Amino acid sequence: MRTVSGYSESATTRAQSPGAPGLLCARELTVCYASRGEPSSPALLGIDFDIAPGEIVGVLGESGSGKSTLALSILGLLPESADIAGSLVFEGKDLLRFDESAWRGIRGARIAMVFQEPGLSLSPVMRVGSQIAEVLRAHRQEGSNHRKLQVEAVLAEVGLTQVDRIYKAYSHQLSGGELQRVALSQALACRPDLIVADEPTRSLDGTRQKEMLDLLRETNRKFGCALIFITHNPGLLAGFADRVIVMYAGRIVEEGPVSRVFRRPLHPYTKGLLQLMPTSLQYAGRTRGQHLPVLPGTLTDDDHLSPGCSFASRCSARTQVCQTEFPAEVAPEKGRRVSCFNYEN
Amino acid sequence: MKTEEAAQRARTPAHIRAVGLSKSYVQRAPFSHKKFAIDALLDVQLEVSPATLTALVGESGSGKSTLARCLAMLEKPDCGEIWFEGKEISRSGSWELAWLRPKIQMIHQDSAGALNPRFTAAQVIAEPLEIQRRESGPKLRSRVCELMEEVGLPANWADRRPLELSGGQRQRLAIARAIALKPAFLILDESLSGLDLSTQAQILNLLLDLQKAHSLTYLLISHDLSLVEQVADFVAVMHQGRMVEHGAGQDIFGSPRHAHTRELLGSVRLVESAFRAAQAGGQQ
Ligand SMILES: Nc1ncnc2c1ncn2[C@@H]1O[C@H](COP(=O)(O)OP(=O)(O)OP(=O)(O)O)[C@@H](O)[C@H]1O
Ligand SMILES: Nc1ncnc2c1ncn2[C@@H]1O[C@H](COP(=O)(O)OP(=O)(O)OP(=O)(O)O)[C@@H](O)[C@H]1O
Ligand code: SF4
Ligand SMILES: [Mg+2]
Ligand SMILES: [Mg+2]
């Protein structure tokens, strides 16, 4: 991960991020991945946001909009090929200036992550119990004789039965949902101040999913740990998250309290996305083989670099100005922001 | 699918059929003689009618991926039979497998781990086409571009490696690879779950089009019952290694019989109604 400056020209005047400052504060955060020498298209384009201690923030967005890049930035886990600029302040210290040894003190202990693909984050050659014990050993002071019991306790916490077997299993011996819960228990193990969870429930059945959300809520209440919850299912955020951030093409296009954003979305992308939430009634009349509704068009490289609004090529509310000028963020009401010229329509 | 239509479909001979499949795993503990035996499949029956989409649902660890791997002949069941297009295939030798492999494709739950990280996106998609000698030269290249665009990946990303893509993009790459051969039977193990609602619908529409054009049969493993309800002709429900319920989508969703199915459905309805309540401003 290298640190450079630049790439934030497009951001003009900005409304202040509505989140209360506190735990984590990102300003003009920009990330570009270089593919084989050439700088390729940027994945994050100067985003600002704040996370208060003990807050639950949901992140929604199109596939490829930069959600995992955001998560990896917070954990200092971007690959070598990534250039990062801006600032990312955690409890007064700029994470972008951290070296690897400073990261080791924070990662796992203060900030933990649940990866989008648990298969990629767990080692295939180490038993999963030992991997969790490793995290505990690195960050907790207690003696080693109770460690196995501690690990079994965190495994039981995420609803795994047969903890004895799971403890001794290699990752390939577990089902998708079992792996995901192992990854979650690893993140919870040290009671961090901030958990960044990237689709942490996608391999879980509805019942387990609900258990997991309850567990996260409870951990949040009991230990005051803040949570950044990336998901593609808006339904999971209702009644769970305090705030929602909506991303499109490397930018935050809308942000606000979940209840208000869901009741009255302002950005055309958010409106379109929420309309796609299936309703049971709508299937009754559906004939076999009939197409499902989609947002027309796809997110392309050009959209990231367009001088105007990056959603313009797909937006039905588009006007002339959208193609040539970038829509600055505005705060239409307290606690909300949106980046669109025509949000009122 | 309507119940009458489903009944009619169910009468046509199954495209793939599992009879009494069982599979258990033994996991050894280190430094001891202790062993854990896991019955992943217990006397499982499943029939999938041709040119339909059957959803396989069930709690985490109920044996769905194991069943899928057996059907795709990536793993041998301990006992039971698998009938595909009228032939029993569970004990196929390498000869028959060469004939079967391109016809039965599976997209793994952990698609990222299953893609060769050294290949470029284009190579990932082209590989099965080259092995089967379906296409070569410029025709192959244009077919690869076409497939990339179909799954919503820009064709100019042909040189990117799998790890240079987002999670959802990687998943779409795995889908493009699997549909490249137009298999007769395609298994998607949680392949749509990491995608936003619009991309998910786009891929499903593509699958529906392929089904119309080439009569593909799908087995879709998914925890997302809202999604299953939208697209499944048939639904099969697993619980602790057993098949507990199997029927037309409308029947399973309309009047689930097994307690486990009702429980799964109940939690989905909870999420849906929480969302509706938030939308209507019922909270705060
Ligand atoms: N290592 C990398 N090298 C080059 N480009 C990358 C790399 N990782 C991600 N990208 C690109 O950056 C963009 C953002 O990726 P990111 O993984 O953050 O998306 P995402 O919002 O998490 O998407 P998804 O929902 O599909 O997981 C994508 O267009 C992706 O192709
Ligand atoms: N190679 C293996 N060795 C030992 N046990 C295994 C192996 N593969 C799977 N299992 C176990 O078999 C059971 C069924 O696993 P399977 O992956 O089929 O479940 P699943 O229904 O796909 O679950 P999920 O929805 O979580 O992916 C699980 O308890 C799992 O731990
Ligand atoms: S700024 Fe214009 S193009 Fe962009 S979302 Fe708003 S209306 Fe659509
Ligand atoms: Mg991602
Ligand atoms: Mg599975």
Side-chain angles (χ1 to χ4, degrees), chain A residues 24-288:
Chain A
L24 184 73
C25 164
R27 289 292 173 271
E28 297 277 310
L29 189 65
T30 302
V31 175
C32 302
Y33 292 104
S35 334
R36 249 143 287 113
E38 302 165 47
S40 79
S41 75
L44 288 182
L45 278 157
I47 66 170
D48 297 355
F49 66 90
D50 291 298
I51 308 287
E55 197 182 17
I56 300 185
V57 179
V59 180
L60 290 173
E62 181 108 336
S63 173
S65 60
K67 305 180 297 295
S68 300
T69 302
L70 175 65
L72 294 173
S73 313
I74 299 173
L75 269 287
L77 289 174
L78 287 171
E80 272 296 311
S81 64
D83 280 345
I84 186 162
S87 76
L88 192 58
V89 177
F90 178 72
E91 294 188 329
K93 290 182 266 299
D94 191 351
L95 297 177
L96 301 192
R97 296 183 200 288
F98 271 33
D99 58 11
E100 204 35 51
S101 76
W103 269 118
R104 272 197 292 274
I106 276 211
R107 215 184 275 141
R110 313 292 314 280
I111 311 179
M113 175 152 182
V114 184
F115 290 85
Q116 188 168 13
E117 286 140 311
L120 286 181
S121 66
L122 289 163
S123 159
V125 294
M126 222 170 135
R127 293 178 197 273
V128 299
S130 319
Q131 294 187 54
I132 299 174
E134 191 54 37
V135 177
L136 287 174
R137 193 190 58 77
H139 298 298
R140 275 200 196 172
Q141 271 77 46
E142 298 111 88
S144 65
N145 36 348
H146 296 304
R147 198 149 290 138
K148 179 157 186 286
L149 289 177
Q150 285 170 10
V151 173
E152 290 187 345
V154 289
L155 286 174
E157 213 175 49
V158 292
L160 286 165
T161 51
Q162 302 181 299
V163 287
D164 197 23
R165 168 173 87 86
I166 308 275
Y167 186 95
K168 298 189 175 88
Y170 290 105
S171 55
H172 76 268
Q173 292 174 317
L174 298 176
S175 82
E178 287 163 350
L179 267 185
Q180 194 145 49
R181 280 176 284 167
V182 166
L184 195 60
S185 74
Q186 196 178 20
L188 290 172
C190 288
R191 311 283 179 227
D193 302 298
L194 174 64
I195 297 179
V196 185
D198 198 350
E199 305 262 13
T201 61
R202 66 172 261 231
S203 313
L204 300 178
D205 61 79
T207 316
R208 297 284 130 50
Q209 188 169 286
K210 175 151 192 323
E211 278 171 20
M212 223 43 55
L213 292 184
D214 291 345
L215 173 67
L216 284 169
R217 241 228 139 27
E218 194 190 306
T219 313
N220 163 268
R221 285 211 186 107
K222 249 202 242 157
F223 305 100
C225 87
L227 178 65
I228 298 179
F229 189 89
I230 301 171
T231 179
H232 69 95
N233 185 351
L236 294 186
L237 300 180
F240 175 67
D242 304 311
R243 208 146 43 94
V244 57
I245 286 177
V246 184
M247 294 187 61
Y248 189 82
R251 290 197 174 90
I252 294 177
V253 294
E254 174 156 13
E255 180 183 337
V258 173
S259 50
R260 280 197 270 157
V261 172
F262 282 9
R263 190 166 25 174
R264 200 168 68 89
L266 297 174
H267 195 278
Y269 174 69
T270 322
K271 287 179 191 163
L273 184 72
L274 295 180
Q275 257 161 26
L276 294 179
M277 266 301 277
T279 48
S280 309
L281 288 174
Q282 108 202 8
Y283 318 120
R286 214 179 140 260
T287 52
R288 197 176 122 72

Side-chain angles (χ1 to χ4, degrees), chain A residues 36 63 117 164-165 181 202-203 205-207 232 259 278-280 283 286 288 291-292 295 298 301, chain B residues 27 34 51 60 112 157 164 170-172 193 195-196 198 205 209 223 229-230 233 263 272 276 284:
Chain A
R36 249 143 287 113
S63 173
E117 286 140 311
D164 197 23
R165 168 173 87 86
R181 280 176 284 167
R202 66 172 261 231
S203 313
D205 61 79
T207 316
H232 69 95
S259 50
T279 48
S280 309
Y283 318 120
R286 214 179 140 260
R288 197 176 122 72
H291 274 189
L292 301 170
L295 297 177
T298 46
D301 277 358
Chain B
Q27 185 193 311
K34 200 164 168 190
S60 166
W157 286 9
E164 293 171 341
R170 239 185 328 262
Q171 224 156 8
R172 286 180 270 160
S193 64
L195 302 172
D196 63 89
S198 178
N205 290 343
D209 288 345
H223 285 303
E229 189 170 23
Q230 288 184 80
D233 301 320
E263 184 190 326
E272 286 175 356
R276 295 283 155 237
Q284 283 154 32

Side-chain angles (χ1 to χ4, degrees), chain A residues 174-177 203, chain B residues 60-61 63-66 69 109 189-190 221 223:
Chain A
L174 298 176
S175 82
S203 313
Chain B
S60 166
K64 305 178 297 296
S65 299
T66 308
R69 285 194 298 268
Q109 190 161 11
D189 193 351
E190 292 291 348
I221 301 180
H223 285 303

